[in-house]
């Protein structure tokens, strides 16, 4: 008897390019997951149209309609659970989640951040990398924990910073890596190969000594 595909709810606030990468992987047969719903806190998020075009339930849960962060997160948790989600994927969801929500989905919530964590947590990472004169930049997929952008890192995509780079040019190259590594990590989870044990990332039954780091142009692992 074949197990049912993992049910995944994706949270977005904007364009949904990482959502599209997941949809493309699903359609190509390389992501054995049921992308069962997309939820946005903004009605004008372009990613909602991407979801509908892909046959995925698309919902709006406007945070402005709730009196507090906790009230909103309670409603959000109820929406996620109504879809029977085994995994929650943050794909440009521009809200800080309450500790209670994060702990409820601990080990079942992933985020992608545009830096090589633990460097440059928070916003404006591309500009900050350029201002610091760094030679490398990238993105990180991590399990979500209450501390902002501080959960255990699973995989990273790295790019070289080029002379004359602008923040926009750098962001575009980093986004290419985001679209490669996020479907990979979600696939690992969907296949039952990835888990969080305490603060340790377990892949294929073994603790990861360090996050997987892929450089631009390197092939994806199995």
């Amino acid at each position: 008897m074949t197990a049912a595909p993992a049910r995944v709810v994706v949270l977005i606030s904007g364009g949904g390019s990482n959502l599209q990468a997941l949809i493309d992987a699903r359609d190509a047969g390389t992501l054995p997951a049921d992308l069962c719903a997309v939820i946005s806190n903004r009605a004008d998020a372009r990613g909602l149209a991407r979801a509908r075009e892909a046959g995925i339930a698309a919902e709006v849960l406007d945070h402005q309609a709730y009196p507090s962060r906790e009230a909103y997160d309670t409603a959000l948790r109820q929406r996620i659970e109504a879809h029977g989600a085994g995994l929650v994927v943050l794909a440009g969801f521009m809200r800080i989640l309450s500790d209670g929500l994060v702990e409820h989905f601990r080990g079942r919530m992933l985020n992608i951040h545009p830096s090589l964590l633990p460097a440059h947590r928070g916003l404006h990472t591309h500009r900050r990398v350029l201002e610091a004169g760094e030679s490398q930049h990238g993105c990180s997929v991590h399990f979500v924990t209450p501390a902002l952008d501080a959960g255990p890192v699973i995989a990273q995509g790295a790019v070289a910073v080029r002379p004359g780079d602008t923040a926009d040019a750098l962001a575009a190259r980093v986004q290419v890596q985001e679209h490669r590594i996020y479907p990979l990590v979600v696939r690992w989870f969907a296949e039952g190969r990835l888990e969080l044990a305490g603060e340790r990332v377990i892949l294929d039954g073994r603790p990861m000594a360090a996050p997987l780091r892929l450089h631009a142009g390197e092939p994806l692992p199995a």
Side-chain angles (χ1 to χ4, degrees), residues 6-11 22 31 33-37 80 83-90 105 107-111 142-143 154 182 185-190 194:
R7 292 178 65 79
V8 179
V9 168
V10 183
L11 306 185
L22 296 173
L31 181 59
D34 177 8
L35 303 177
C36 59
I80 293 168
H83 290 286
L87 177 66
V88 181
V89 172
L90 307 184
F105 290 107
R108 298 185 293 136
M109 181 178 282
L110 299 173
N111 183 47
H142 64 95
F143 281 107
I154 305 157
Y182 217 179
V185 173
V186 174
R187 173 168 65 81
W188 285 346
F189 189 96
L194 178 69

PDB file of all heavy atoms in Angstrom, residues 6-11 22 31 33-37 80 83-90 105 107-111 142-143 154 182 185-190 194:
ATOM      1  N   ALA A   6       2.650  13.695   1.282  1.00  0.00           N
ATOM      2  CA  ALA A   6       2.622  14.668   2.364  1.00  0.00           C
ATOM      3  C   ALA A   6       1.802  15.878   1.946  1.00  0.00           C
ATOM      4  O   ALA A   6       1.931  16.390   0.834  1.00  0.00           O
ATOM      5  CB  ALA A   6       4.044  15.093   2.700  1.00  0.00           C
ATOM      6  N   ARG A   7       0.946  16.329   2.850  1.00  0.00           N
ATOM      7  CA  ARG A   7       0.118  17.498   2.579  1.00  0.00           C
ATOM      8  C   ARG A   7       0.859  18.752   3.047  1.00  0.00           C
ATOM      9  O   ARG A   7       1.284  18.833   4.204  1.00  0.00           O
ATOM     10  CB  ARG A   7      -1.243  17.371   3.269  1.00  0.00           C
ATOM     11  CG  ARG A   7      -2.086  16.255   2.665  1.00  0.00           C
ATOM     12  CD  ARG A   7      -3.411  16.097   3.370  1.00  0.00           C
ATOM     13  NE  ARG A   7      -4.287  17.255   3.226  1.00  0.00           N
ATOM     14  CZ  ARG A   7      -5.029  17.530   2.156  1.00  0.00           C
ATOM     15  NH1 ARG A   7      -4.988  16.725   1.098  1.00  0.00           N
ATOM     16  NH2 ARG A   7      -5.815  18.598   2.121  1.00  0.00           N
ATOM     17  N   VAL A   8       1.003  19.703   2.137  1.00  0.00           N
ATOM     18  CA  VAL A   8       1.812  20.897   2.380  1.00  0.00           C
ATOM     19  C   VAL A   8       0.943  22.136   2.221  1.00  0.00           C
ATOM     20  O   VAL A   8       0.247  22.299   1.215  1.00  0.00           O
ATOM     21  CB  VAL A   8       3.000  20.967   1.399  1.00  0.00           C
ATOM     22  CG1 VAL A   8       3.820  22.235   1.641  1.00  0.00           C
ATOM     23  CG2 VAL A   8       3.875  19.724   1.517  1.00  0.00           C
ATOM     24  N   VAL A   9       0.990  23.020   3.216  1.00  0.00           N
ATOM     25  CA  VAL A   9       0.374  24.342   3.129  1.00  0.00           C
ATOM     26  C   VAL A   9       1.488  25.366   2.996  1.00  0.00           C
ATOM     27  O   VAL A   9       2.454  25.342   3.765  1.00  0.00           O
ATOM     28  CB  VAL A   9      -0.496  24.650   4.359  1.00  0.00           C
ATOM     29  CG1 VAL A   9      -0.891  26.126   4.385  1.00  0.00           C
ATOM     30  CG2 VAL A   9      -1.746  23.775   4.355  1.00  0.00           C
ATOM     31  N   VAL A  10       1.362  26.246   2.024  1.00  0.00           N
ATOM     32  CA  VAL A  10       2.370  27.271   1.752  1.00  0.00           C
ATOM     33  C   VAL A  10       1.816  28.628   2.165  1.00  0.00           C
ATOM     34  O   VAL A  10       0.694  28.990   1.782  1.00  0.00           O
ATOM     35  CB  VAL A  10       2.761  27.283   0.264  1.00  0.00           C
ATOM     36  CG1 VAL A  10       3.875  28.304   0.014  1.00  0.00           C
ATOM     37  CG2 VAL A  10       3.211  25.892  -0.200  1.00  0.00           C
ATOM     38  N   LEU A  11       2.602  29.383   2.940  1.00  0.00           N
ATOM     39  CA  LEU A  11       2.211  30.717   3.375  1.00  0.00           C
ATOM     40  C   LEU A  11       2.995  31.757   2.592  1.00  0.00           C
ATOM     41  O   LEU A  11       4.228  31.668   2.485  1.00  0.00           O
ATOM     42  CB  LEU A  11       2.472  30.897   4.874  1.00  0.00           C
ATOM     43  CG  LEU A  11       1.846  29.858   5.814  1.00  0.00           C
ATOM     44  CD1 LEU A  11       2.104  30.263   7.271  1.00  0.00           C
ATOM     45  CD2 LEU A  11       0.360  29.687   5.561  1.00  0.00           C
ATOM     46  N   LEU A  22       8.063  25.316  -6.250  1.00  0.00           N
ATOM     47  CA  LEU A  22       7.483  24.096  -5.702  1.00  0.00           C
ATOM     48  C   LEU A  22       6.447  23.512  -6.654  1.00  0.00           C
ATOM     49  O   LEU A  22       6.394  22.289  -6.867  1.00  0.00           O
ATOM     50  CB  LEU A  22       6.852  24.381  -4.348  1.00  0.00           C
ATOM     51  CG  LEU A  22       7.795  24.820  -3.230  1.00  0.00           C
ATOM     52  CD1 LEU A  22       6.999  25.240  -1.997  1.00  0.00           C
ATOM     53  CD2 LEU A  22       8.788  23.724  -2.864  1.00  0.00           C
ATOM     54  N   LEU A  31       8.721  16.326  -6.889  1.00  0.00           N
ATOM     55  CA  LEU A  31       8.287  16.693  -5.541  1.00  0.00           C
ATOM     56  C   LEU A  31       7.052  15.863  -5.195  1.00  0.00           C
ATOM     57  O   LEU A  31       5.931  16.201  -5.595  1.00  0.00           O
ATOM     58  CB  LEU A  31       7.971  18.184  -5.443  1.00  0.00           C
ATOM     59  CG  LEU A  31       7.518  18.684  -4.065  1.00  0.00           C
ATOM     60  CD1 LEU A  31       8.568  18.406  -3.005  1.00  0.00           C
ATOM     61  CD2 LEU A  31       7.182  20.171  -4.107  1.00  0.00           C
ATOM     62  N   ALA A  33       4.650  15.536  -3.183  1.00  0.00           N
ATOM     63  CA  ALA A  33       3.890  16.191  -2.119  1.00  0.00           C
ATOM     64  C   ALA A  33       2.587  16.726  -2.687  1.00  0.00           C
ATOM     65  O   ALA A  33       2.488  17.044  -3.885  1.00  0.00           O
ATOM     66  CB  ALA A  33       4.702  17.323  -1.505  1.00  0.00           C
ATOM     67  N   ASP A  34       1.598  16.843  -1.824  1.00  0.00           N
ATOM     68  CA  ASP A  34       0.316  17.430  -2.170  1.00  0.00           C
ATOM     69  C   ASP A  34       0.323  18.876  -1.688  1.00  0.00           C
ATOM     70  O   ASP A  34       0.196  19.143  -0.488  1.00  0.00           O
ATOM     71  CB  ASP A  34      -0.805  16.630  -1.496  1.00  0.00           C
ATOM     72  CG  ASP A  34      -2.193  17.231  -1.742  1.00  0.00           C
ATOM     73  OD1 ASP A  34      -2.299  18.175  -2.551  1.00  0.00           O
ATOM     74  OD2 ASP A  34      -3.147  16.752  -1.103  1.00  0.00           O
ATOM     75  N   LEU A  35       0.517  19.806  -2.615  1.00  0.00           N
ATOM     76  CA  LEU A  35       0.442  21.227  -2.269  1.00  0.00           C
ATOM     77  C   LEU A  35      -1.042  21.556  -2.139  1.00  0.00           C
ATOM     78  O   LEU A  35      -1.711  21.916  -3.093  1.00  0.00           O
ATOM     79  CB  LEU A  35       1.111  22.072  -3.350  1.00  0.00           C
ATOM     80  CG  LEU A  35       2.579  21.740  -3.642  1.00  0.00           C
ATOM     81  CD1 LEU A  35       3.101  22.611  -4.795  1.00  0.00           C
ATOM     82  CD2 LEU A  35       3.439  21.933  -2.407  1.00  0.00           C
ATOM     83  N   CYS A  36      -1.561  21.399  -0.918  1.00  0.00           N
ATOM     84  CA  CYS A  36      -3.013  21.393  -0.752  1.00  0.00           C
ATOM     85  C   CYS A  36      -3.619  22.774  -0.584  1.00  0.00           C
ATOM     86  O   CYS A  36      -4.817  22.948  -0.825  1.00  0.00           O
ATOM     87  CB  CYS A  36      -3.401  20.479   0.398  1.00  0.00           C
ATOM     88  SG  CYS A  36      -2.700  20.917   2.001  1.00  0.00           S
ATOM     89  N   ALA A  37      -2.831  23.757  -0.163  1.00  0.00           N
ATOM     90  CA  ALA A  37      -3.391  25.098   0.013  1.00  0.00           C
ATOM     91  C   ALA A  37      -2.283  26.135   0.072  1.00  0.00           C
ATOM     92  O   ALA A  37      -1.170  25.854   0.517  1.00  0.00           O
ATOM     93  CB  ALA A  37      -4.240  25.179   1.284  1.00  0.00           C
ATOM     94  N   ILE A  80      -4.633  26.154   8.749  1.00  0.00           N
ATOM     95  CA  ILE A  80      -3.626  25.170   8.356  1.00  0.00           C
ATOM     96  C   ILE A  80      -4.080  23.768   8.737  1.00  0.00           C
ATOM     97  O   ILE A  80      -4.007  22.824   7.929  1.00  0.00           O
ATOM     98  CB  ILE A  80      -2.271  25.500   9.013  1.00  0.00           C
ATOM     99  CG1 ILE A  80      -1.705  26.810   8.450  1.00  0.00           C
ATOM    100  CG2 ILE A  80      -1.275  24.359   8.794  1.00  0.00           C
ATOM    101  CD1 ILE A  80      -0.521  27.355   9.240  1.00  0.00           C
ATOM    102  N   HIS A  83      -6.658  21.902   6.665  1.00  0.00           N
ATOM    103  CA  HIS A  83      -6.164  21.261   5.443  1.00  0.00           C
ATOM    104  C   HIS A  83      -5.376  19.983   5.732  1.00  0.00           C
ATOM    105  O   HIS A  83      -4.878  19.340   4.804  1.00  0.00           O
ATOM    106  CB  HIS A  83      -5.304  22.241   4.645  1.00  0.00           C
ATOM    107  CG  HIS A  83      -6.082  23.360   4.023  1.00  0.00           C
ATOM    108  ND1 HIS A  83      -6.886  23.185   2.923  1.00  0.00           N
ATOM    109  CD2 HIS A  83      -6.200  24.672   4.377  1.00  0.00           C
ATOM    110  CE1 HIS A  83      -7.462  24.335   2.604  1.00  0.00           C
ATOM    111  NE2 HIS A  83      -7.062  25.255   3.471  1.00  0.00           N
ATOM    112  N   GLY A  84      -5.242  19.629   6.988  1.00  0.00           N
ATOM    113  CA  GLY A  84      -4.520  18.408   7.331  1.00  0.00           C
ATOM    114  C   GLY A  84      -3.048  18.452   6.979  1.00  0.00           C
ATOM    115  O   GLY A  84      -2.454  17.429   6.597  1.00  0.00           O
ATOM    116  N   ALA A  85      -2.445  19.615   7.135  1.00  0.00           N
ATOM    117  CA  ALA A  85      -1.057  19.790   6.703  1.00  0.00           C
ATOM    118  C   ALA A  85      -0.086  19.022   7.588  1.00  0.00           C
ATOM    119  O   ALA A  85      -0.148  19.093   8.812  1.00  0.00           O
ATOM    120  CB  ALA A  85      -0.683  21.268   6.710  1.00  0.00           C
ATOM    121  N   GLY A  86       0.822  18.315   6.939  1.00  0.00           N
ATOM    122  CA  GLY A  86       1.930  17.697   7.648  1.00  0.00           C
ATOM    123  C   GLY A  86       3.162  18.577   7.635  1.00  0.00           C
ATOM    124  O   GLY A  86       4.109  18.354   8.395  1.00  0.00           O
ATOM    125  N   LEU A  87       3.166  19.578   6.752  1.00  0.00           N
ATOM    126  CA  LEU A  87       4.294  20.501   6.620  1.00  0.00           C
ATOM    127  C   LEU A  87       3.766  21.873   6.262  1.00  0.00           C
ATOM    128  O   LEU A  87       2.873  22.011   5.421  1.00  0.00           O
ATOM    129  CB  LEU A  87       5.256  20.018   5.533  1.00  0.00           C
ATOM    130  CG  LEU A  87       6.456  20.922   5.229  1.00  0.00           C
ATOM    131  CD1 LEU A  87       7.401  20.996   6.420  1.00  0.00           C
ATOM    132  CD2 LEU A  87       7.205  20.446   3.989  1.00  0.00           C
ATOM    133  N   VAL A  88       4.344  22.903   6.896  1.00  0.00           N
ATOM    134  CA  VAL A  88       4.030  24.298   6.581  1.00  0.00           C
ATOM    135  C   VAL A  88       5.287  24.921   5.989  1.00  0.00           C
ATOM    136  O   VAL A  88       6.365  24.863   6.592  1.00  0.00           O
ATOM    137  CB  VAL A  88       3.600  25.080   7.835  1.00  0.00           C
ATOM    138  CG1 VAL A  88       3.251  26.518   7.471  1.00  0.00           C
ATOM    139  CG2 VAL A  88       2.420  24.391   8.511  1.00  0.00           C
ATOM    140  N   VAL A  89       5.148  25.501   4.812  1.00  0.00           N
ATOM    141  CA  VAL A  89       6.280  26.093   4.101  1.00  0.00           C
ATOM    142  C   VAL A  89       6.073  27.605   4.017  1.00  0.00           C
ATOM    143  O   VAL A  89       5.079  28.069   3.441  1.00  0.00           O
ATOM    144  CB  VAL A  89       6.405  25.496   2.686  1.00  0.00           C
ATOM    145  CG1 VAL A  89       7.457  26.240   1.870  1.00  0.00           C
ATOM    146  CG2 VAL A  89       6.761  24.013   2.764  1.00  0.00           C
ATOM    147  N   LEU A  90       6.985  28.363   4.605  1.00  0.00           N
ATOM    148  CA  LEU A  90       6.953  29.821   4.505  1.00  0.00           C
ATOM    149  C   LEU A  90       7.696  30.228   3.244  1.00  0.00           C
ATOM    150  O   LEU A  90       8.882  29.927   3.091  1.00  0.00           O
ATOM    151  CB  LEU A  90       7.599  30.457   5.734  1.00  0.00           C
ATOM    152  CG  LEU A  90       7.079  30.002   7.107  1.00  0.00           C
ATOM    153  CD1 LEU A  90       7.764  30.797   8.218  1.00  0.00           C
ATOM    154  CD2 LEU A  90       5.580  30.121   7.203  1.00  0.00           C
ATOM    155  N   PHE A 105       3.939  23.852  15.447  1.00  0.00           N
ATOM    156  CA  PHE A 105       4.372  23.205  14.206  1.00  0.00           C
ATOM    157  C   PHE A 105       5.876  22.899  14.209  1.00  0.00           C
ATOM    158  O   PHE A 105       6.466  22.674  13.151  1.00  0.00           O
ATOM    159  CB  PHE A 105       4.021  24.079  12.998  1.00  0.00           C
ATOM    160  CG  PHE A 105       2.547  24.152  12.718  1.00  0.00           C
ATOM    161  CD1 PHE A 105       1.831  25.311  13.000  1.00  0.00           C
ATOM    162  CD2 PHE A 105       1.864  23.064  12.207  1.00  0.00           C
ATOM    163  CE1 PHE A 105       0.473  25.384  12.755  1.00  0.00           C
ATOM    164  CE2 PHE A 105       0.499  23.124  11.953  1.00  0.00           C
ATOM    165  CZ  PHE A 105      -0.197  24.289  12.230  1.00  0.00           C
ATOM    166  N   GLY A 107       9.301  21.413  13.927  1.00  0.00           N
ATOM    167  CA  GLY A 107       9.726  20.253  13.149  1.00  0.00           C
ATOM    168  C   GLY A 107       8.896  20.017  11.908  1.00  0.00           C
ATOM    169  O   GLY A 107       9.197  19.121  11.115  1.00  0.00           O
ATOM    170  N   ARG A 108       7.853  20.841  11.721  1.00  0.00           N
ATOM    171  CA  ARG A 108       6.968  20.710  10.555  1.00  0.00           C
ATOM    172  C   ARG A 108       6.769  22.053   9.853  1.00  0.00           C
ATOM    173  O   ARG A 108       5.798  22.240   9.129  1.00  0.00           O
ATOM    174  CB  ARG A 108       5.604  20.148  10.975  1.00  0.00           C
ATOM    175  CG  ARG A 108       5.677  18.757  11.565  1.00  0.00           C
ATOM    176  CD  ARG A 108       4.285  18.202  11.840  1.00  0.00           C
ATOM    177  NE  ARG A 108       3.596  18.926  12.888  1.00  0.00           N
ATOM    178  CZ  ARG A 108       2.319  19.313  12.836  1.00  0.00           C
ATOM    179  NH1 ARG A 108       1.605  19.098  11.755  1.00  0.00           N
ATOM    180  NH2 ARG A 108       1.772  19.929  13.863  1.00  0.00           N
ATOM    181  N   MET A 109       7.702  22.978  10.089  1.00  0.00           N
ATOM    182  CA  MET A 109       7.621  24.298   9.471  1.00  0.00           C
ATOM    183  C   MET A 109       8.993  24.690   8.956  1.00  0.00           C
ATOM    184  O   MET A 109       9.979  24.679   9.689  1.00  0.00           O
ATOM    185  CB  MET A 109       7.099  25.340  10.469  1.00  0.00           C
ATOM    186  CG  MET A 109       6.953  26.735   9.892  1.00  0.00           C
ATOM    187  SD  MET A 109       6.283  27.941  11.093  1.00  0.00           S
ATOM    188  CE  MET A 109       4.530  27.517  11.053  1.00  0.00           C
ATOM    189  N   LEU A 110       9.055  25.042   7.658  1.00  0.00           N
ATOM    190  CA  LEU A 110      10.301  25.431   7.004  1.00  0.00           C
ATOM    191  C   LEU A 110      10.216  26.871   6.527  1.00  0.00           C
ATOM    192  O   LEU A 110       9.139  27.372   6.194  1.00  0.00           O
ATOM    193  CB  LEU A 110      10.582  24.535   5.796  1.00  0.00           C
ATOM    194  CG  LEU A 110      10.754  23.036   6.035  1.00  0.00           C
ATOM    195  CD1 LEU A 110      10.862  22.301   4.699  1.00  0.00           C
ATOM    196  CD2 LEU A 110      11.986  22.766   6.891  1.00  0.00           C
ATOM    197  N   ASN A 111      11.376  27.518   6.457  1.00  0.00           N
ATOM    198  CA  ASN A 111      11.475  28.874   5.914  1.00  0.00           C
ATOM    199  C   ASN A 111      12.713  28.950   5.031  1.00  0.00           C
ATOM    200  O   ASN A 111      13.677  28.206   5.216  1.00  0.00           O
ATOM    201  CB  ASN A 111      11.589  29.898   7.044  1.00  0.00           C
ATOM    202  CG  ASN A 111      11.621  31.329   6.527  1.00  0.00           C
ATOM    203  OD1 ASN A 111      10.806  31.698   5.687  1.00  0.00           O
ATOM    204  ND2 ASN A 111      12.565  32.124   6.999  1.00  0.00           N
ATOM    205  N   HIS A 142      15.741  26.577   6.539  1.00  0.00           N
ATOM    206  CA  HIS A 142      15.906  26.171   7.931  1.00  0.00           C
ATOM    207  C   HIS A 142      14.567  25.808   8.553  1.00  0.00           C
ATOM    208  O   HIS A 142      13.503  26.237   8.070  1.00  0.00           O
ATOM    209  CB  HIS A 142      16.565  27.291   8.743  1.00  0.00           C
ATOM    210  CG  HIS A 142      15.751  28.548   8.850  1.00  0.00           C
ATOM    211  ND1 HIS A 142      14.928  28.819   9.920  1.00  0.00           N
ATOM    212  CD2 HIS A 142      15.632  29.614   8.009  1.00  0.00           C
ATOM    213  CE1 HIS A 142      14.345  29.995   9.741  1.00  0.00           C
ATOM    214  NE2 HIS A 142      14.745  30.500   8.591  1.00  0.00           N
ATOM    215  N   PHE A 143      14.631  24.987   9.590  1.00  0.00           N
ATOM    216  CA  PHE A 143      13.452  24.752  10.402  1.00  0.00           C
ATOM    217  C   PHE A 143      13.138  26.032  11.171  1.00  0.00           C
ATOM    218  O   PHE A 143      14.055  26.735  11.626  1.00  0.00           O
ATOM    219  CB  PHE A 143      13.685  23.609  11.389  1.00  0.00           C
ATOM    220  CG  PHE A 143      13.569  22.236  10.780  1.00  0.00           C
ATOM    221  CD1 PHE A 143      14.697  21.460  10.562  1.00  0.00           C
ATOM    222  CD2 PHE A 143      12.331  21.713  10.441  1.00  0.00           C
ATOM    223  CE1 PHE A 143      14.599  20.190  10.019  1.00  0.00           C
ATOM    224  CE2 PHE A 143      12.218  20.437   9.895  1.00  0.00           C
ATOM    225  CZ  PHE A 143      13.348  19.669   9.678  1.00  0.00           C
ATOM    226  N   ILE A 154      19.283  23.663   7.192  1.00  0.00           N
ATOM    227  CA  ILE A 154      19.320  22.380   6.494  1.00  0.00           C
ATOM    228  C   ILE A 154      20.190  22.460   5.245  1.00  0.00           C
ATOM    229  O   ILE A 154      21.038  21.602   5.014  1.00  0.00           O
ATOM    230  CB  ILE A 154      17.896  21.954   6.115  1.00  0.00           C
ATOM    231  CG1 ILE A 154      17.000  21.918   7.352  1.00  0.00           C
ATOM    232  CG2 ILE A 154      17.917  20.602   5.393  1.00  0.00           C
ATOM    233  CD1 ILE A 154      15.526  22.052   7.034  1.00  0.00           C
ATOM    234  N   TYR A 182      14.960  25.011  -2.265  1.00  0.00           N
ATOM    235  CA  TYR A 182      13.726  24.852  -1.487  1.00  0.00           C
ATOM    236  C   TYR A 182      12.952  23.593  -1.895  1.00  0.00           C
ATOM    237  O   TYR A 182      12.566  22.795  -1.041  1.00  0.00           O
ATOM    238  CB  TYR A 182      12.851  26.100  -1.606  1.00  0.00           C
ATOM    239  CG  TYR A 182      12.119  26.463  -0.321  1.00  0.00           C
ATOM    240  CD1 TYR A 182      11.297  27.581  -0.265  1.00  0.00           C
ATOM    241  CD2 TYR A 182      12.242  25.706   0.839  1.00  0.00           C
ATOM    242  CE1 TYR A 182      10.631  27.941   0.906  1.00  0.00           C
ATOM    243  CE2 TYR A 182      11.582  26.053   2.016  1.00  0.00           C
ATOM    244  CZ  TYR A 182      10.778  27.169   2.037  1.00  0.00           C
ATOM    245  OH  TYR A 182      10.132  27.517   3.200  1.00  0.00           O
ATOM    246  N   VAL A 185      14.704  20.484  -0.359  1.00  0.00           N
ATOM    247  CA  VAL A 185      14.490  20.242   1.071  1.00  0.00           C
ATOM    248  C   VAL A 185      13.053  19.789   1.329  1.00  0.00           C
ATOM    249  O   VAL A 185      12.819  18.876   2.129  1.00  0.00           O
ATOM    250  CB  VAL A 185      14.835  21.498   1.889  1.00  0.00           C
ATOM    251  CG1 VAL A 185      14.442  21.315   3.355  1.00  0.00           C
ATOM    252  CG2 VAL A 185      16.335  21.809   1.778  1.00  0.00           C
ATOM    253  N   VAL A 186      12.086  20.396   0.657  1.00  0.00           N
ATOM    254  CA  VAL A 186      10.699  19.973   0.825  1.00  0.00           C
ATOM    255  C   VAL A 186      10.548  18.519   0.369  1.00  0.00           C
ATOM    256  O   VAL A 186       9.820  17.736   0.988  1.00  0.00           O
ATOM    257  CB  VAL A 186       9.738  20.910   0.072  1.00  0.00           C
ATOM    258  CG1 VAL A 186       8.311  20.383   0.120  1.00  0.00           C
ATOM    259  CG2 VAL A 186       9.790  22.316   0.671  1.00  0.00           C
ATOM    260  N   ARG A 187      11.235  18.143  -0.700  1.00  0.00           N
ATOM    261  CA  ARG A 187      11.186  16.740  -1.143  1.00  0.00           C
ATOM    262  C   ARG A 187      11.737  15.809  -0.083  1.00  0.00           C
ATOM    263  O   ARG A 187      11.151  14.758   0.201  1.00  0.00           O
ATOM    264  CB  ARG A 187      11.968  16.566  -2.455  1.00  0.00           C
ATOM    265  CG  ARG A 187      12.105  15.093  -2.871  1.00  0.00           C
ATOM    266  CD  ARG A 187      12.596  14.935  -4.277  1.00  0.00           C
ATOM    267  NE  ARG A 187      13.949  15.420  -4.492  1.00  0.00           N
ATOM    268  CZ  ARG A 187      15.050  14.733  -4.195  1.00  0.00           C
ATOM    269  NH1 ARG A 187      14.977  13.538  -3.617  1.00  0.00           N
ATOM    270  NH2 ARG A 187      16.245  15.241  -4.453  1.00  0.00           N
ATOM    271  N   TRP A 188      12.862  16.175   0.515  1.00  0.00           N
ATOM    272  CA  TRP A 188      13.426  15.336   1.585  1.00  0.00           C
ATOM    273  C   TRP A 188      12.397  15.119   2.690  1.00  0.00           C
ATOM    274  O   TRP A 188      12.234  14.009   3.180  1.00  0.00           O
ATOM    275  CB  TRP A 188      14.664  15.993   2.170  1.00  0.00           C
ATOM    276  CG  TRP A 188      15.882  15.918   1.324  1.00  0.00           C
ATOM    277  CD1 TRP A 188      16.102  15.116   0.238  1.00  0.00           C
ATOM    278  CD2 TRP A 188      17.080  16.678   1.503  1.00  0.00           C
ATOM    279  NE1 TRP A 188      17.349  15.333  -0.276  1.00  0.00           N
ATOM    280  CE2 TRP A 188      17.965  16.282   0.481  1.00  0.00           C
ATOM    281  CE3 TRP A 188      17.479  17.661   2.406  1.00  0.00           C
ATOM    282  CZ2 TRP A 188      19.250  16.834   0.366  1.00  0.00           C
ATOM    283  CZ3 TRP A 188      18.745  18.214   2.285  1.00  0.00           C
ATOM    284  CH2 TRP A 188      19.619  17.800   1.280  1.00  0.00           C
ATOM    285  N   PHE A 189      11.707  16.196   3.070  1.00  0.00           N
ATOM    286  CA  PHE A 189      10.710  16.071   4.132  1.00  0.00           C
ATOM    287  C   PHE A 189       9.558  15.179   3.661  1.00  0.00           C
ATOM    288  O   PHE A 189       9.097  14.301   4.405  1.00  0.00           O
ATOM    289  CB  PHE A 189      10.192  17.441   4.545  1.00  0.00           C
ATOM    290  CG  PHE A 189       9.327  17.410   5.773  1.00  0.00           C
ATOM    291  CD1 PHE A 189       9.871  17.681   7.023  1.00  0.00           C
ATOM    292  CD2 PHE A 189       7.975  17.103   5.692  1.00  0.00           C
ATOM    293  CE1 PHE A 189       9.089  17.632   8.173  1.00  0.00           C
ATOM    294  CE2 PHE A 189       7.190  17.057   6.835  1.00  0.00           C
ATOM    295  CZ  PHE A 189       7.743  17.319   8.080  1.00  0.00           C
ATOM    296  N   ALA A 190       9.077  15.414   2.452  1.00  0.00           N
ATOM    297  CA  ALA A 190       7.942  14.654   1.931  1.00  0.00           C
ATOM    298  C   ALA A 190       8.258  13.163   1.825  1.00  0.00           C
ATOM    299  O   ALA A 190       7.361  12.323   1.968  1.00  0.00           O
ATOM    300  CB  ALA A 190       7.529  15.208   0.570  1.00  0.00           C
ATOM    301  N   LEU A 194      13.776  13.649   6.308  1.00  0.00           N
ATOM    302  CA  LEU A 194      14.249  14.824   7.039  1.00  0.00           C
ATOM    303  C   LEU A 194      13.411  15.021   8.293  1.00  0.00           C
ATOM    304  O   LEU A 194      12.177  14.956   8.244  1.00  0.00           O
ATOM    305  CB  LEU A 194      14.134  16.056   6.146  1.00  0.00           C
ATOM    306  CG  LEU A 194      14.525  17.405   6.734  1.00  0.00           C
ATOM    307  CD1 LEU A 194      16.029  17.470   6.983  1.00  0.00           C
ATOM    308  CD2 LEU A 194      14.090  18.533   5.805  1.00  0.00           C
TER     309      LEU A 194
END
